[in-house]
Amino acid sequence: MTGLEPFGARLRRVMDERGPLCVGIDPHASLLAEWGLGDTVDGLERFSRTVVEAVADRVAVLKPQSAFFERFGSRGVAVLETTVREAREAGALVVMDAKRGDIGSTMAAYAEAFLHKDAPLFSDALTVSPYLGYGSLSPAVALARESGAGLFVLALTSNPEGGEVQHAVRADGRTVGATVLGHLALENAGEEPLGSFGAVVGATLGDLSSYDLDMGGPILAPGIGAQGATPADLPSVFGRAVRNVLPNVSRGVLRHGPDVVALRDASERFADEIRAALTSA
């Protein structure tokens, strides 16, 4: 398989050119209703096309939430395929938010669905869960390297339930979350300007100084906007790793639809605020 340039290098470049912003594509029923759309495949398609039209040529990353497409069955997945293709054609990188995690041949099949260059849902990166053991992700890691794609591994998530697993202390004295970050540091060792194996770390978590977040790869940071975090919070949460943070905003941008200009304006405001916060750090 002939792969792309490594995801980390492509991500660093597009973040520098367009600003470090990831916009989620989360067409849940209440948001479709706010846009005046039906909770139907047609509503799903109009929503997704509008977001791509509005921002795919200007934001660094778009992150479709696979579940909101899958719930419509094969027709919804077809819309997702089109969304991914058109977003990438417009110059945005696509992170597929599917949070896959399994073992052996099943994990390999999930990886092929999203990370094989010829797959209809091929994405620049995929979110994955390491909580069947980090080693269970090996098929996805291998295919990502081969295809020039990346992974974002759940490490320190913003949902309150996550702490009972992620902050649990192992026999060696490290937390589970710190162990995940340690594995990612090894994956990214020697990669410049940015490794392709990132972590998902919530921007709402406050002081994370007890964790070494500077693991050589990107940090996908949900929580900006509707969940309560602001761009100004980023330096205090992420410390010296803030230069590699990719903040994710979903409702904070999407609530301005279906007006294309309003969506663009909202995304540009967030990108400017995030850039200013990271520059001052």
Side-chain angles (χ1 to χ4, degrees):
M1 184 191 303
T2 301
L4 298 166
E5 180 184 17
F7 171 70
R10 293 185 289 125
L11 179 62
R12 177 78 276 162
R13 183 166 58 251
V14 75
M15 287 171 65
D16 291 344
E17 291 173 353
R18 296 186 172 194
L21 175 64
C22 171
V23 173
I25 305 181
D26 297 352
H28 48 76
S30 62
L31 196 50
L32 292 174
E34 287 181 26
W35 280 35
L37 300 173
D39 190 19
T40 63
V41 173
D42 288 342
L44 175 75
E45 184 172 20
R46 287 186 59 190
F47 181 97
S48 302
R49 283 190 181 277
T50 300
V51 176
V52 170
E53 176 189 353
V55 303
D57 65 344
R58 61 197 63 215
V59 301
V61 176
L62 284 174
K63 182 175 70 64
Q65 170 46 261
S66 180
F68 293 124
F69 295 82
E70 292 177 41
R71 69 192 186 97
F72 290 101
S74 60
R75 292 178 66 199
V77 173
V79 173
L80 181 58
E81 292 175 5
T82 300
T83 300
V84 170
R85 183 182 69 252
E86 292 183 349
R88 298 187 74 238
E89 287 173 351
L93 300 184
V94 171
V95 173
M96 182 62 68
D97 195 356
K99 298 183 180 71
R100 296 303 196 247
D102 216 301
I103 60 172
S105 59
T106 308
M107 189 67 239
Y110 280 138
E112 289 171 5
F114 299 105
L115 300 173
H116 191 285
K117 71 178 183 64
D118 296 325
L121 285 169
F122 174 75
S123 303
D124 297 284
L126 172 68
T127 60
V128 292
S129 172
Y131 295 110
L132 288 173
Y134 184 86
S136 67
L137 300 179
S138 294
V141 170
L143 188 54
R145 289 192 187 281
E146 188 175 354
S147 63
L151 298 177
F152 282 101
V153 182
L154 303 180
L156 298 166
T157 57
S158 55
N159 62 305
E161 303 89 346
E164 68 184 43
V165 174
Q166 296 155 17
H167 299 311
V169 179
R170 291 161 31 103
D172 63 4
R174 291 196 301 170
T175 66
V176 172
T179 300
V180 172
L181 294 169
H183 283 296
L184 292 172
L186 292 175
E187 302 287 7
N188 293 317
E191 296 294 327
E192 294 291 342
L194 187 65
S196 297
F197 299 93
V200 179
V201 179
T204 57
L205 295 177
D207 182 6
L208 292 174
S209 58
S210 61
Y211 286 91
D212 185 4
L213 300 176
D214 197 10
M215 42 72 193
I219 298 172
L220 181 63
I224 301 292
Q227 294 184 46
T230 70
D233 296 326
L234 295 170
S236 62
V237 174
F238 294 100
R240 66 181 183 176
V242 74
R243 67 188 183 279
N244 295 332
V245 169
L246 177 66
N248 176 74
V249 180
S250 295
R251 182 174 287 275
V253 170
L254 300 178
R255 66 183 178 84
H256 294 279
D259 184 274
V260 168
V261 173
L263 287 165
R264 287 175 179 162
D265 289 346
S267 70
E268 289 173 359
R269 283 195 303 273
F270 272 109
D272 288 344
E273 290 175 16
I274 290 166
R275 188 184 290 108
L278 302 193
T279 300
S280 65

